Amino acid sequence: MRTVEAITRPLTGELSVPGDKSIGHRAVIFSAVARGRSRVLNLCAGEDNLRTVHAFKDLGVAIRQEREGLHIEGKGWDGLHAPGGMIDCGNSGTTMRLLSGVLAGRPFTATLDGDPSLRRRPMQRIIDPLGRMGARISSRNGKGLAPLEIHGANLRGIRYASLVASAQVKSAIILAGLQAEGTTVFEEPQRTRDHTEIMARAFGADLTVKGNTVTLAGRQELSARDLRVPGDLSSAAFFVVAAAVVPGSDLIVRDMGCNPTRSGVLDVLGRMGARIEILSPREEGGEPVADLRVRGGRLNGVDIGPEMVARTIDEYPILAVAAALAQGVTTISGARELRNKESDRIATMASELRKLGVEVEEREDGMTIVGQERLKGAAVNTYGDHRVAMALAVAGLRADGGVGIDDSACADVSFPGFFERIERLRGS
Ligand code: S3P
């Protein structure tokens, strides 16, 4: 049990956060299947990214940690070999789904498994399209759940309209499509994060994006490159909200990835009345990067509708905390997909915010949260979900008596050192 006490002074100063988890996975994957030595700088040391690193080591890729970054010796798609045993994806849905796309086109069989949370998450969404491309993937009891046994094959390109807005599904199909015979056309219902498209191009792939449709030719070889992973906006969001809800705060977060397909949280907070400035916008490796300045004040409740889901998907736990501390009512709708995350984030946030004295109405696709000025201190549960843990820590900064968090270690999945950072900002 770790306690986060209420904060007694504004949050000020500067901070940076670990490298973007989504971009980090892709940097490792593309480096591993490209030809030549790539160097990845600022890869997040969290467990999720390390799962992807270990997976490619299991597949025979030479990866070394050097002082300035990770050196990855890619030998092309054919440089991957059958793993000696099961590949453990831990808690990481991105590792499992993107790796499935890579392995679907390799001439061997591999088994992917994960922790109890990952074993509950839906995999049929990648099994179907990868199956149509020619791979044979069997799942536990045929129910679309891990462990997955992937029998790779000579793939053929497909035209596929996905019913779910998921960057992981899109990325799995792009990674398979790059190896396939013929053209692949992937259409998504809402534009999701485009890190895979950006990174594929950075490694020399040719692909066309028009609206919500990605088109690519098959049999593409990639070439190595060096790249630097920008700071993770999804990790920064916890500090952005912490500063936004503590009057008098003035915090700068440096070197943030600000890709518009990911930055819904900044738009929502802006609508809630948060004072956030984007400073020195620039580009690194095709990704938009900037510094953020946040000043504290009082937020107002807003409607967060279905149109926000894809761009904001990982920030609902922390936005629920922002809503709990806002003036008035916030309504989240069209966000059923939150029930498929590391935990059921609608159920978990509703139950934990209630423990902090917040009035919450839970619905199938969202919730309504009645804001209040301060929260009630309580013991809370993370359900092993890193973003729930960090969101509840931020709630603790505004809870009389603080919050006691049952499992703070799960934050290490995406943000090792998060709680130490919070303590430093709290000034204790
Ligand atoms: C991710 C996509 C999103 C997101 C996850 C990371 C990615 O998942 O929630 O944290 O890196 O592609 P879905 O594709 O399931 O929406």
Side-chain angles (χ1 to χ4, degrees), residues 385-399:
D385 183 331
H386 56 133
R387 299 203 202 282
V388 171
M390 294 187 274
L392 293 172
V394 172
L397 297 175
R398 300 290 284 167

Side-chain angles (χ1 to χ4, degrees), residues 139-267:
S139 63
R140 180 159 42 104
N141 303 329
K143 290 204 166 122
L145 300 172
L148 303 180
E149 197 176 80
I150 303 180
H151 305 269
N154 272 324
L155 303 177
R156 47 189 180 273
I158 48 166
R159 176 174 276 278
Y160 192 75
S162 177
L163 293 177
V164 12
S166 159
Q168 294 179 358
V169 173
K170 172 172 65 177
S171 303
I173 305 313
I174 292 175
L175 286 161
L178 287 169
Q179 305 172 69
E181 184 79 58
T183 303
T184 293
V185 183
F186 180 86
E187 192 191 330
E188 53 187 351
Q190 224 181 72
R191 184 118 196 263
T192 63
R193 64 188 68 189
D194 61 357
H195 304 309
T196 301
E197 295 89 311
I198 291 174
M199 184 106 30
R201 286 203 182 107
F203 279 80
D206 184 17
L207 87 199
T208 315
V209 180
K210 271 207 191 104
N212 293 356
T213 304
V214 186
T215 305
L216 59 141
R219 300 262 191 259
Q220 298 200 42
E221 289 297 336
L222 307 165
S223 11
R225 61 161 289 159
D226 291 350
L227 52 97
R228 184 180 170 78
V229 181
D232 197 329
L233 181 58
S234 296
S235 297
F238 300 103
F239 295 102
V240 171
V241 169
V245 298
V246 178
S249 293
D250 191 349
L251 192 69
I252 291 193
V253 195
R254 295 265 177 229
D255 297 323
M256 294 311 318
C258 284
N259 185 314
T261 61
R262 280 282 290 287
S263 59
V265 63
L266 300 180
D267 298 356

Side-chain angles (χ1 to χ4, degrees), residues 27-108:
V28 174
I29 294 171
F30 279 98
S31 300
V33 299
R35 283 189 183 279
R37 173 184 300 174
S38 298
R39 283 185 314 173
V40 180
L41 312 183
N42 200 38
L43 182 73
C44 173
E47 282 161 28
D48 268 24
N49 277 171
L50 295 184
R51 292 290 178 185
T52 295
V53 170
H54 286 299
F56 281 97
K57 284 185 175 169
D58 291 348
L59 291 163
V61 180
I63 305 182
R64 269 191 344 269
Q65 182 66 54
E66 297 286 335
R67 233 176 24 162
E68 85 286 23
L70 204 63
H71 288 208
I72 303 179
E73 309 284 344
K75 294 207 167 79
W77 297 102
D78 293 333
L80 304 185
H81 301 299
M86 177 272 288
I87 296 179
D88 187 356
C89 302
N91 192 245
S92 176
T94 313
T95 305
M96 184 168 281
R97 296 198 179 104
L98 271 59
L99 198 53
S100 297
V102 171
L103 295 175
R106 296 298 82 217
F108 52 78

